[in-house]
Amino acid sequence: MPVINVEELTDLDKAKMEVTQLKTEVKLERAKTSKCCEEITEYIQSGAEEDPLVKGIPEEKNPFKEKGGCVIC
Amino acid sequence: MGEMEQLRKEAESLKDDITAARKAVQDLTLQDHVAGTAVVGRVQLKTRKTLRGHLAKIYAMHWGTDSKLCVSASQDGKLIVWDSYSTNKVHAIPLKSSWVMTCSYAPSGNMVACGGLDNMCSIYNLKAKDGNVKVMRELAAHTGYLSCCRFLSDSEIITSSGDCTCLLWDIETGTEKTVFAGHLGDCMSLGVAPDFNTFISGACDFTAKLWDIRDGQCRQTFGGHESDINAIGFFPNGNAVITGSDDASCKLYDLRSDQELITFQDSSIMCGVTSLAPSLSGRLLLAGYDDFNCNIWDTLKAERVGVLSGHDNRVSCIGVTPDGMACCTGSWDSFLKIWN
C-alpha cells in the first residue's frame, strides 16, 4: 500500500483532493442541533450521578487513597 | 480561467454550501438548550499519588483498560508501566530512540507501543514467555514524526504523523493496511471511537477529521480553531468530538449535526491546550495547558469549575481511567500525578 507523501503533492493535486473531499462532505445528512443537544444532555445527566469525579469518592472506596498516617493536602 | 483557479472557486462554493447546510439544521444552540441547567458544583480534586521515576520531560501517558496500570513515555528514553494503586513500576522499558512523543496501552494489556522523532511506531510485548519485555515490531513507513498511536486490538494499531497522514497497521506483518490522507498540516493527535469503527484526528491545519477505519474515507471535517489542534478525544457516547488547540480553546463538535456546539475558553487563558480527557459521564472536561495547570470545565455550561495545580512545568498529557475513578496528569516536570 503506497504511503502518500503529502510533501510531494503539487498544489494542483491538493486542490483536486480538497474538492473531491468537499463533494463527499456536502452530501452528509445532518440532524437538527436541537435533537443532538437533547441527546448529549440526556447522556450526561443520566451518567453524572454516578461519575466519580463529579460526585466524589468515599474514602473507603477510593483505590488511590493514602495508606494511613497524616496527609497534608 | 486556469484549472487551479477553477478548483479554488469550486472549493469555495462547496464550503459555502456546507456552511449553509450546517446553519439550516441549527434550530437550537447548546447554550440555549441548557439555559435552565445549573452549573455543576465546584470540583476539587486532590493529588492521591505522585509517580516518580522519569528523569526528563514526560510527553505521553495512557491508561490500561483495568484502570490500574498505565504507561508513560519520557524523553529520558524510557517507557514505564506503573501500578498506579501502589506507585510501583511494573516495567521500565529502555527505548532505542529517546525522542518519544506518544505511547499507548493495548486494550488486552499484552502490549504497549510508542514512537516519536524516529518516525516509527515500536510495539513491545509485555507478556513474553521469558519475562523480558522486548520490541515485537517496528512499524516504519511514516516520513514524519509519530505524534500519536492507539491500538484497536493486539493485531491492529492506528498512528498519526507529522507527515500529515494517519496509518492503520497490521501488527502481525508489520505493514500498512490503510492510509488516511487529507490533512494539510502535521497530524498531532488521534482518538478511536468507542465502537472502533471510526477515529478522529486533529492537525496543524486547524481542522479535525473523522475517518472510517475500514474504507479509509474522511467522512467529516471540522474547522473553527484558529491554530494547531494538539489534542482530540471522543465524547463518551461516541457522538461528539472534543478538540484542544494552541488558540487556547477547546471545542465540542457534534457528529450528527456536523457542527461545533460549544467552545471552552476564557479571556484569562492565553496559552495553548496540550491534552484533554472527558470524565466518565462526559459532564466534566479536563484539559491540560502550557501554563502548568489543568482546567476542569463543565461540558454543558462551558464554565470552569476547577483547576488541578501541582505541576512545576507544562502538563503534556492527561487521561481519565476507563472506570472514571481518577485522572492522571503527566508533565514536563517529569512527574505523573493521580487525582480524584
Side-chain angles (χ1 to χ4, degrees):
Chain A
M1 166 121 246
V3 176
I4 292 175
N5 194 338
V6 174
E7 285 135 29
E8 283 170 16
L9 293 176
T10 62
D11 283 345
L12 199 65
D13 289 332
K14 287 183 189 175
K16 283 182 190 167
M17 266 176 68
E18 194 187 6
V19 167
T20 309
Q21 180 58 32
L22 288 168
K23 282 181 177 166
T24 308
E25 290 179 11
V26 78
K27 289 189 227 143
L28 199 67
E29 262 188 53
R30 296 171 175 83
K32 293 241 182 278
T33 54
S34 54
K35 180 166 177 284
C36 302
C37 290
E38 182 68 48
E39 281 178 14
I40 288 183
T41 355
E42 244 183 66
Y43 182 86
I44 287 178
Q45 282 167 340
S46 65
E49 288 296 297
E50 294 311 308
D51 186 331
L53 297 181
V54 174
K55 74 170 177 134
I57 305 168
E59 199 60 17
E60 67 277 7
K61 293 220 171 77
N62 190 350
F64 299 100
K65 77 168 195 285
E66 317 299 320
K67 286 184 280 227
C70 299
V71 176
I72 299 170
C73 298
Chain B
M1 199 187 295
E3 198 184 351
M4 192 65 197
E5 184 58 22
Q6 214 164 351
L7 287 168
R8 201 193 56 79
K9 271 191 166 341
E10 208 180 343
E12 285 312 303
S13 167
L14 287 163
K15 282 181 188 169
D16 287 341
D17 290 343
I18 290 174
T19 303
R22 285 171 168 163
K23 203 136 180 70
V25 295
Q26 196 183 64
D27 56 343
L28 188 70
T29 63
L30 182 58
Q31 205 171 2
D32 289 335
H33 181 79
V34 298
T37 309
V39 178
V40 79
R42 188 117 195 102
V43 175
Q44 280 169 318
L45 304 183
K46 300 195 176 88
T47 301
R48 302 293 176 183
K49 303 284 180 191
T50 298
L51 305 181
R52 299 183 167 86
H54 278 302
L55 303 172
K57 294 175 175 169
I58 290 172
Y59 275 79
M61 69 79 50
H62 192 213
W63 283 103
T65 45
D66 64 0
S67 294
K68 183 173 81 135
L69 299 182
C70 64
V71 62
S72 60
S74 162
Q75 293 204 347
D76 64 4
K78 294 244 172 22
L79 274 192
I80 298 181
V81 177
W82 310 83
D83 173 332
S84 62
Y85 291 177
S86 65
T87 74
N88 288 341
K89 298 173 190 50
V90 180
H91 300 288
I93 306 165
L95 305 174
K96 272 195 206 173
S97 162
S98 63
W99 305 110
V100 67
M101 296 172 70
T102 179
C103 61
S104 178
Y105 217 129
S108 64
N110 294 332
M111 305 171 185
V112 288
C114 68
L117 295 184
D118 58 356
N119 298 2
M120 293 196 311
C121 182
S122 301
I123 314 280
Y124 293 83
N125 183 357
L126 298 180
K127 307 281 170 87
K129 291 206 182 81
D130 64 357
N132 289 327
V133 176
K134 34 178 191 281
V135 183
M136 207 182 102
R137 287 288 178 276
E138 282 175 338
L139 308 176
H142 279 300
T143 54
Y145 60 85
L146 207 83
S147 52
C148 194
C149 58
R150 285 291 178 260
F151 283 92
L152 295 181
S153 65
D154 280 3
S155 53
E156 287 182 319
I157 192 167
I158 299 183
T159 55
S160 63
S161 169
D163 69 11
C164 310
T165 70
C166 296
L167 289 172
L168 169 69
W169 299 84
D170 177 327
I171 296 175
E172 198 56 36
T173 60
T175 57
E176 320 90 79
K177 280 167 108 157
T178 314
V179 187
F180 302 91
H183 275 301
L184 296 173
D186 300 13
C187 293
M188 297 303 289
S189 186
L190 75 97
V192 179
D195 68 5
F196 291 93
N197 289 329
T198 58
F199 79 92
I200 44 177
S201 58
C204 293
D205 61 6
F206 312 172
T207 71
K209 283 178 177 287
L210 176 78
W211 306 89
D212 181 312
I213 293 178
R214 295 306 145 198
D215 68 18
Q217 291 294 311
C218 169
R219 297 255 165 261
Q220 292 171 254
T221 302
F222 300 98
H225 274 298
E226 293 166 355
S227 188
D228 301 353
I229 293 177
N230 299 316
I232 198 163
F234 269 94
F235 181 76
N237 72 354
N239 291 334
V241 165
I242 310 172
T243 53
S245 166
D246 270 348
D247 69 10
S249 77
C250 294
K251 287 179 186 288
L252 185 144
Y253 297 96
D254 179 87
L255 295 181
R256 286 185 315 198
S257 56
D258 185 47
Q259 56 193 273
E260 177 189 325
L261 287 188
I262 206 159
T263 296
F264 303 89
Q265 68 193 355
D266 189 298
S267 53
S268 65
I269 304 173
M270 287 176 294
C271 60
V273 178
T274 60
S275 49
L276 60 84
S279 70
L280 186 67
S281 66
R283 185 71 213 249
L284 303 176
L285 170 64
L286 295 95
Y289 291 73
D290 283 343
D291 67 357
F292 312 177
N293 287 329
C294 174
N295 288 316
I296 306 177
W297 298 87
D298 175 330
T299 310
L300 292 179
K301 305 291 285 186
E303 285 186 34
R304 261 201 298 184
V305 294
V307 173
L308 300 180
S309 46
H311 282 293
D312 296 324
N313 207 323
R314 179 185 289 194
V315 172
S316 56
C317 50
I318 191 166
V320 171
T321 55
D323 64 7
M325 291 292 275
C327 100
C328 177
T329 49
S331 167
W332 281 9
D333 68 9
S334 81
F335 302 117
L336 295 139
K337 286 182 184 288
I338 314 280
W339 313 73
N340 66 15

